[in-house]
Amino acid sequence: MNIQITERAEAFLRQQIGNKSSPVRLVFDSEGCGCGVNGIPALWILSAPDVNDMTIHSNTVPFVINRIHAVYFEENLYLDSEAGYPSFRLSGDSQLYGQNVRLLDKREDES
């Protein structure tokens, strides 16, 4: 998998990540959505990837995805953001995954 990140999205990601070397996990979040095939894309800042994560090749920020979630996304992804708006737009070659993709800092949840 590959993800191209715009300069504006990269700046927002780096601002949220801070000085730590933290990967961002792309997830297909189905919690509270009814069943496993209903869900929304989300981005989670992690302290470190886990054993079930695989690398998503990125032009900037390190990205990972749980192997199980990879089936929900295309091979080529594109991440953008709007100035002053606290979410992202995630698309692929053939579809839009979301215009309001949230970034959650999960580092404190991992301690």
Side-chain angles (χ1 to χ4, degrees):
M1 289 183 81
N2 302 293
I3 189 164
Q4 289 285 55
I5 303 167
T6 66
E7 288 180 22
R8 186 173 40 228
E10 176 189 5
F12 184 56
L13 283 169
R14 291 197 186 280
Q15 175 187 3
Q16 299 303 312
I17 292 169
N19 295 332
K20 297 181 179 177
S21 176
S22 299
V24 176
R25 180 185 290 150
L26 173 61
V27 298
F28 186 74
D29 191 357
S30 60
E31 188 171 320
C33 292
C35 74
V37 295
N38 292 329
I40 57 171
L43 302 171
W44 295 353
I45 302 171
L46 307 172
S47 297
D50 76 23
V51 296
N52 295 316
D53 285 336
M54 59 186 236
T55 299
I56 298 176
H57 301 286
S58 164
N59 58 324
T60 62
V61 176
F63 263 77
V64 296
I65 189 167
N66 184 293
R67 294 177 193 287
I68 294 170
H69 292 199
V71 299
Y72 296 108
F73 299 99
E74 295 177 52
E75 184 66 23
N76 296 307
L77 300 169
Y78 308 93
L79 189 68
D80 197 3
S81 67
E82 292 184 36
Y85 195 69
S87 67
F88 295 88
R89 180 182 195 275
L90 180 67
S91 61
D93 288 332
S94 64
Q95 69 176 308
L96 174 64
Y97 290 96
Q99 295 189 119
N100 194 21
V101 178
R102 297 289 179 190
L103 176 67
L104 300 173
D105 192 339
K106 295 285 193 168
R107 290 176 288 196
E108 56 273 350
D109 293 348
E110 298 173 341
S111 24

